[in-house]
Amino acid sequence: MTAHQIYTASYAITNFVTYCRRMQPQTHEEITKFFEGVVSFPYDKELLLQAYLFLNIKQLFPLCSELLLFEKSPISDYTDLGKCDFVYLTPHFKLFLIETKFIDTNATGATERKRRNKHRNKVFDQVITLKSRFSEYWNINAEELETAVFTTDPEVSWRGNGMNVLTKCISIEDLEYWRKNYQ
């Protein structure tokens, strides 16, 4: 990478970080309180999964250092272009995009298997599409964008290999155990 490319890259990410701080002005402590409230009163399974991810981010994705956006569109107010579940900044001044999906692995039957497969495909499509939109809209090099998927389905782990998408999961049982024992 040339000096000009490094400057352009860091300039683009700096612009994005500035945008995020306007769009997501809550402090880390305020966001932590929100997610701890979700753990105490889990009214939505997807949100509980996101709370687990946020409260355990260093163990799951050690490169994530600062939350920039949560459930917001990375492209101004164009939510029709997609919202990203989590966007973190890394210590290497890269962006780390994470999409989450609560996939009901306990349900049985042909319809449920089809639904699970649809959810698996959708979560990967979302993160790959978002990476492309980030890169294009913010003029950020694709190498500066890391992507990951976090679900309740261990079947997704092998799917990320060919797509350069990190995958992590927690079983529904382990998620519920964690929720009940969270202090």
Side-chain angles (χ1 to χ4, degrees):
M1 214 183 226
T2 68
H4 177 70
Q5 288 172 315
I6 291 169
Y7 172 77
T8 304
S10 60
Y11 180 75
I13 290 185
T14 299
N15 281 343
F16 179 72
V17 169
T18 302
Y19 161 80
C20 290
R21 292 195 174 131
R22 277 194 325 265
M23 291 299 295
Q24 189 96 41
Q26 300 88 348
T27 66
H28 183 80
E29 291 74 25
E30 291 168 330
I31 296 169
T32 300
K33 279 185 181 180
F34 168 75
F35 280 122
E36 287 175 340
V38 168
V39 174
S40 300
F41 187 67
Y43 55 91
D44 181 83
K45 292 175 182 178
E46 181 84 17
L47 205 49
L48 178 62
L49 181 66
Q50 291 173 339
Y52 179 86
L53 174 63
F54 177 80
L55 295 168
N56 295 282
I57 193 69
K58 285 295 183 195
Q59 292 82 11
L60 294 164
F61 299 106
L63 284 178
C64 295
S65 59
E66 179 187 349
L67 179 64
L68 297 175
L69 284 181
F70 167 67
E71 281 291 341
K72 294 210 184 292
S73 174
I75 304 168
S76 296
D77 290 325
Y78 299 109
T79 53
D80 58 321
L81 297 177
K83 291 190 302 182
C84 194
D85 291 339
F86 291 92
V87 179
Y88 278 90
L89 187 63
T90 73
H92 308 302
F93 215 61
K94 290 184 176 185
L95 300 180
F96 202 102
L97 316 176
I98 306 172
E99 282 297 309
T100 60
K101 191 64 149 170
F102 186 96
I103 299 173
D104 188 354
T105 55
N106 295 333
T108 59
T111 303
E112 290 303 321
R113 279 194 306 275
K114 195 173 189 177
R115 180 176 291 135
R116 271 193 300 277
N117 203 43
K118 181 180 171 187
H119 288 279
R120 290 173 186 137
N121 292 335
K122 183 179 179 186
V123 73
F124 280 100
D125 288 345
Q126 283 176 308
V127 80
I128 290 167
T129 300
L130 280 166
K131 180 177 183 175
S132 172
R133 288 185 177 147
F134 261 86
S135 182
E136 187 178 315
Y137 185 83
W138 289 99
N139 196 28
I140 297 172
N141 294 326
E143 299 84 41
E144 296 175 293
L145 296 165
E146 300 288 337
T147 55
V149 165
F150 184 65
T151 71
T152 53
D153 184 3
E155 287 288 318
V156 300
S157 61
W158 61 270
R159 292 178 183 232
N161 294 341
M163 295 184 244
N164 201 23
V165 176
L166 296 170
T167 58
K168 299 279 181 163
C169 68
I170 184 171
S171 70
I172 294 170
E173 296 76 20
D174 288 346
L175 180 61
E176 188 56 30
Y177 179 82
W178 171 82
R179 184 192 70 77
K180 288 178 181 174
N181 294 292
Y182 184 80
Q183 290 111 0

